[in-house]
Amino acid sequence: MSLLGLITLVLHGALAGMYYSFSMSVIPGLKAIDTDAADLAMRSMNRKILTPWLFVPSFGAPILALISGFFAEGSSALWFFAAAAVSFAGSLIVTVIVNVPLNNSLDSTRIGFAEFHPRWNTFNILRTVSSVASLVLVGGGLAG
């Protein structure tokens, strides 16, 4: 088992856990409080999450899966390439095309939390499922 493969696995696990926790606790928790408080809290989270600790797994997971595929042998390479594709399409692209623009709309007060959360969470669930699938695919690459 390579160190590169293990780092790839950890990055995919971090993304899956983050997306899962937002869908299962953060958004439901915010839906249970006053809308103005939810607006303020989500805006604050959206600003505070923009750190290298977010960008490393967000960009690193699909990139390292792709690199791992080039270094892997036999069928393991296919597992890593599949993980890279699923991670890129289902997590990174969805984030850039849907979730970030929604975050920006909330931050600029063009929309409120009541408008924001249904679409945002739907696509966050897609990111969660994609990240868990990518995690499994990386595991297949490591096991292969």
Side-chain angles (χ1 to χ4, degrees):
M1 208 177 291
S2 74
L3 180 59
L4 178 63
L6 286 175
I7 293 169
T8 303
L9 185 74
V10 168
L11 293 180
H12 281 87
L15 282 179
M18 179 186 64
Y19 294 145
Y20 178 80
S21 66
F22 263 87
S23 288
M24 295 301 126
S25 62
V26 173
I27 297 299
L30 292 176
K31 285 171 46 179
I33 63 174
D34 175 71
T35 305
D36 290 337
D39 283 350
L40 184 62
M42 192 67 190
R43 281 189 206 110
S44 180
M45 282 183 263
N46 285 339
R47 289 180 194 133
K48 295 297 181 184
I49 201 168
L50 297 176
T51 70
W53 296 112
L54 172 67
F55 296 119
V56 168
S58 295
F59 291 96
I63 291 169
L64 289 185
L66 182 65
I67 293 169
S68 294
F70 287 117
F71 285 106
E73 297 177 4
S75 65
S76 290
L78 296 175
W79 287 95
F80 283 114
F81 289 139
V86 170
S87 181
F88 181 76
S91 177
L92 187 59
I93 294 298
V94 169
T95 298
V96 170
I97 291 175
V98 178
N99 293 86
V100 168
L102 284 169
N103 291 348
N104 293 340
S105 292
L106 182 70
D107 192 49
S108 69
T109 66
R110 288 191 304 263
I111 62 173
F113 185 75
E115 285 179 80
F116 168 86
H117 78 78
R119 186 162 187 236
W120 190 93
N121 203 45
T122 296
F123 282 93
N124 191 63
I125 291 168
L126 174 61
R127 298 188 300 178
T128 304
V129 170
S130 297
S131 295
V132 169
S134 298
L135 179 66
V136 170
L137 290 165
V138 169
L142 289 171

